Amino acid sequence: NIEMLDLLTMDIDLSDFAKAKGIDSTRLYTREEAKKLMGVSEKTIWRYLKEGKLKHVRPPTRQGIQILGKWILEAYRLQKDGA
C-alpha cells in the first residue's frame, strides 16, 4: 500500500530529524529553543503558535510558553508537508 509506505517514510524522516537535532519528544522546550530546532524565524514561530500549527502551554508558575518536543516534531511534519 503506497499510503502506508508514505506514512512509514514520514515516521523515519521524523525520527532522523529528532535524532539529528537531539529532540526529546517528552521534554518541554522554550519558544526560542523550538525556533532554533526547527530552523525558522521568530515571525514564523509566532505564526505557527497563533495558527495552532505549534501546540504550546503557558505554565502558571513560569513566564513564557513551553512546547513539548512531540509538538515540535508535529509542526516540523506540517512544515515539511507544506501545510
Side-chain angles (χ1 to χ4, degrees):
N1 188 333
I2 292 176
E3 287 181 17
M4 181 59 98
L5 184 58
D6 288 345
L7 287 174
L8 290 172
T9 302
M10 193 178 313
D11 285 340
I12 290 168
D13 289 346
L14 276 182
S15 178
D16 290 344
F17 174 74
K19 286 178 186 173
K21 296 288 188 168
I23 298 174
D24 177 348
S25 64
T26 62
R27 180 181 163 220
L28 287 171
Y29 293 87
T30 65
R31 178 187 44 78
E32 185 68 25
E33 289 172 319
K35 178 182 87 166
K36 288 179 182 175
L37 289 168
M38 293 178 68
V40 297
S41 69
E42 185 77 16
K43 185 177 179 179
T44 299
I45 279 290
W46 281 115
R47 188 176 76 246
Y48 282 6
L49 293 167
K50 183 180 176 184
E51 293 174 354
K53 291 181 180 178
L54 182 57
K55 299 175 190 172
H56 65 283
V57 293
R58 191 176 297 271
T61 59
R62 296 187 65 168
Q63 296 229 347
I65 62 170
Q66 298 287 291
I67 303 164
L68 193 61
K70 176 183 175 184
W71 299 336
I72 294 171
L73 295 173
E74 289 171 0
Y76 172 76
R77 178 181 287 172
L78 288 174
Q79 178 186 10
K80 187 173 180 200
D81 292 343

